[in-house]
């Protein structure tokens, strides 16, 4: 019996609802996809390619979606090339839980702060490079500038605050890494996408996905702002909740009796937090964001209103 064809190039769940977006990103960031074998990845690639080419793929719908999700977890959406392991979205939780847990554990000495902030921004650079756009790739200069500025911003924030909070309660010192991560995100993301909000803008579409043939810098500014908020939101649970718990354990003398437990416990806690915070914060804003025509640049407004049956609201891909 022939299966009704489905559109595997759109998410499986309704993206107009928060729950639908969250289910989509829980699947996208699932760390279990890292353990897919080479043969399973090749099966997923072959299945998706055949289905997109209109060939008959005799698989149940759930299995077809499984192939699509495995494919998305490992292959670049524009180029189709297999991405490096630690740069994949499915590596976000295990990599970030290790790095964040160590940043929270080793925050008191300058060498430790420098090392772990550098490791964090190096990982971010790998992720940004791995997931770069195939149509508008990140240049080496842009990547390097963003990397240097984000690393510098994180270090200045962390080391500067560490020197200021020495006389404050221990909990304040434990929260310094979060402030440094937030500061780095505020530099890194706008820098990586500078070309969009300064030069080319983001392509605008109608509600049904039809291109309007124009791009808006104001839409790009909004998109970058939403992504920055989402990234900072992802860091809140893993950078705030473990320090609260560790501060409580320190007051009760647990860390004094078992000093070895600090780093492993914080890594574990970060993993639990990030497992839920990563997809939950990716889903905060719709991927296909809306903007009123009245809020666009005057010249873009004029072009849209000159069209037949001009829309009052247009849409754009905000990025991740």
């Amino acid at each position: 019996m022939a299966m009704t064809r489905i559109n595997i190039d759109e998410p499986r769940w309704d993206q107009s609802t928060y729950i639908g977006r969250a289910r989509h990103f829980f699947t996208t960031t699932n760390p279990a996809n890292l353990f897919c074998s080479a043969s399973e990845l090749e099966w997923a690639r072959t299945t998706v390619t055949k289905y997109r080419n209109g060939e008959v793929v005799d698989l149940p719908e759930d299995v077809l979606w499984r192939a699509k999700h495995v494919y998305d977890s490992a292959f670049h959406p524009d180029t189709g090339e297999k991405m490096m392991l630690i740069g994949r979205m499915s590596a976000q939780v295990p990599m970030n839980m290790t790095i964040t847990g160590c940043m929270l554990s080793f925050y008191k000495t300058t060498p430790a702060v420098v090392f772990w902030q550098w490791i964090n921004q190096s990982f971010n650079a790998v992720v940004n490079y791995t997931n770069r756009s195939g149509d508008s790739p990140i240049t080496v200069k842009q990547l390097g500038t963003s990397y240097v500025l984000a690393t510098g911003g994180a270090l200045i924030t962390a080391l500067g605050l560490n020197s200021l909070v020495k006389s404050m309660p221990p909990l304040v010192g434990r929260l310094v890494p979060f402030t440094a991560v937030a500061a780095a995100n505020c530099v890194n993301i706008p820098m990586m996408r500078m070309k969009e909000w300064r030069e080319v803008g983001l392509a605008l579409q109608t509600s049904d996905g039809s291109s309007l043939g124009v791009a808006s810098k104001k839409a790009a500014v909004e998109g970058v702002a939403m992504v920055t908020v989402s990234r900072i939101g992802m860091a809140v649970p893993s950078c705030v909740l473990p320090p609260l718990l560790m501060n409580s354990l320190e007051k009760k003398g647990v860390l004094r009796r078992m000093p070895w437990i600090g780093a492993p416990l914080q890594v574990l806690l970060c993993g639990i937090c990030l497992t839920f915070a990563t997809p939950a914060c990716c889903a905060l804003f719709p991927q296909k964001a809306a903007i009123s025509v009245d809020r666009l640049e005057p010249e873009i407004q004029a072009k849209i209103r000159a069209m037949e049956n001009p829309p009052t609201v247009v849409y754009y891909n905000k990025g991740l």
Side-chain angles (χ1 to χ4, degrees):
M1 179 178 173
M3 182 183 69
T4 302
R5 289 193 69 82
I6 58 177
N7 184 4
I8 62 172
D9 292 322
E10 292 291 333
R12 184 175 188 179
W13 298 280
D14 181 6
Q15 297 299 285
S16 66
T17 68
Y18 177 78
I19 296 299
R21 296 194 297 271
R23 292 184 71 182
H24 168 68
F25 284 111
F26 265 109
T27 304
T28 304
T29 60
N30 183 2
N33 288 328
L34 288 175
F35 299 100
C36 292
S37 64
S39 59
E40 189 172 3
L41 293 179
E42 182 58 27
W43 164 79
R45 187 191 66 79
T46 302
T47 299
V48 170
T49 301
K50 285 183 177 179
Y51 196 82
R52 282 174 169 166
N53 291 337
E55 298 180 37
V56 175
V57 177
D58 189 18
L59 292 173
E61 183 175 325
D62 284 345
V63 177
L64 179 59
W65 277 115
R66 167 62 182 163
K68 177 60 165 54
H69 294 148
V70 170
Y71 175 85
D72 286 346
S73 75
F75 295 91
H76 194 282
D78 294 333
T79 65
E81 296 177 356
K82 188 184 293 186
M83 296 182 288
M84 67 178 77
L85 195 68
I86 66 170
R88 301 174 190 174
M89 288 301 291
S90 49
Q92 288 290 295
V93 171
M95 290 299 298
N96 276 321
M97 66 182 277
T98 304
I99 295 171
T100 305
C102 289
M103 281 196 298
L104 295 176
S105 299
F106 311 111
Y107 66 95
K108 292 184 178 181
T109 67
T110 298
V113 170
V114 171
F115 179 76
W116 286 108
Q117 291 293 342
W118 168 68
I119 288 291
N120 186 42
Q121 294 310 319
S122 298
F123 171 65
N124 287 339
V126 170
V127 172
N128 289 329
Y129 179 78
T130 303
N131 293 279
R132 66 197 184 281
S133 169
D135 297 324
S136 180
I138 301 169
T139 64
V140 174
K141 180 181 178 181
Q142 185 181 1
L143 185 67
T145 303
S146 173
Y147 172 63
V148 170
L149 290 178
T151 304
L155 288 175
I156 291 170
T157 303
L159 296 175
L161 288 177
N162 270 350
S163 65
L164 293 175
V165 302
K166 288 180 179 178
S167 60
M168 296 183 184
L171 178 59
V172 178
R174 289 184 180 276
L175 294 175
V176 166
F178 166 69
T179 309
V181 168
N185 277 325
C186 290
V187 173
N188 192 23
I189 297 166
M191 280 298 305
M192 292 300 296
R193 298 180 60 180
M194 183 188 295
K195 190 174 181 179
E196 294 173 16
W197 55 266
R198 287 189 63 179
E199 299 177 26
V200 300
L202 289 179
L204 302 178
Q205 304 173 342
T206 60
S207 58
D208 62 2
S210 301
S211 174
L212 290 169
V214 291
S216 169
K217 297 176 188 176
K218 286 194 174 182
V221 170
E222 284 197 5
V224 169
M226 286 189 282
V227 171
T228 303
V229 170
S230 294
R231 296 280 187 93
I232 293 174
M234 287 178 206
V236 171
S238 58
C239 288
V240 174
L241 297 181
L244 292 175
L245 177 61
M246 298 306 289
N247 192 62
S248 175
L249 294 177
E250 190 171 44
K251 287 181 178 179
K252 294 177 180 177
V254 175
L255 298 182
R256 190 166 54 254
R257 294 193 301 273
M258 297 183 290
W260 52 268
I261 201 175
L265 181 57
Q266 292 202 86
V267 169
L268 177 62
L269 291 171
C270 287
I272 295 171
C273 292
L274 286 166
T275 298
F276 298 97
T278 300
C281 289
C282 281
L284 284 176
F285 305 101
Q287 191 68 29
K288 188 177 179 180
I291 184 171
S292 170
V293 172
D294 293 336
R295 292 166 51 205
L296 299 173
E297 299 93 318
E299 63 274 17
I300 302 297
Q301 292 184 38
K303 289 180 181 179
I304 293 176
R305 287 171 178 151
M307 299 174 181
E308 186 177 354
N309 300 318
T312 57
V313 176
V314 293
Y315 300 83
Y316 60 94
N317 184 344
K318 70 172 178 64
L320 280 175

